[in-house]
Amino acid sequence: GAQNNINITVQGSVITIVINDITLTTINDSGLMEPGNIGLGVGLSNEHEEAETVIVEFDNLVIWSMP
């Protein structure tokens, strides 16, 4: 399967999403100011709706606190 580098940075209320060194979006969400849980989700595009199984593997997941 394809390998991608996904980087999600949260600094204060600013969330930046980068995939394969390309910044997709920067979001400002003041509702996320408190430390808490993270979650990862996977969805299929319309062209792959017939797929019955989705397998996602992480071999180098790193989570750290920003200074």
Side-chain angles (χ1 to χ4, degrees):
Q3 180 176 338
N4 294 291
N5 180 14
I6 303 169
N7 181 336
I8 301 172
T9 304
V10 180
Q11 290 183 294
S13 62
V14 179
I15 305 163
T16 303
I17 301 173
V18 178
I19 298 180
N20 297 329
D21 298 323
I22 298 171
T23 300
L24 296 182
T25 191
T26 298
I27 304 164
N28 192 332
D29 186 345
S30 60
L32 299 174
M33 296 296 292
E34 296 294 324
N37 299 320
I38 65 163
L40 300 172
V42 175
L44 296 174
S45 65
N46 290 340
E47 65 186 62
H48 296 101
E49 284 181 344
E50 69 280 352
E52 294 180 16
T53 303
V54 176
I55 298 172
V56 178
E57 298 176 328
F58 295 94
D59 64 3
N60 190 15
L61 178 63
V62 178
I63 300 170
W64 66 93
S65 179
M66 302 288 289

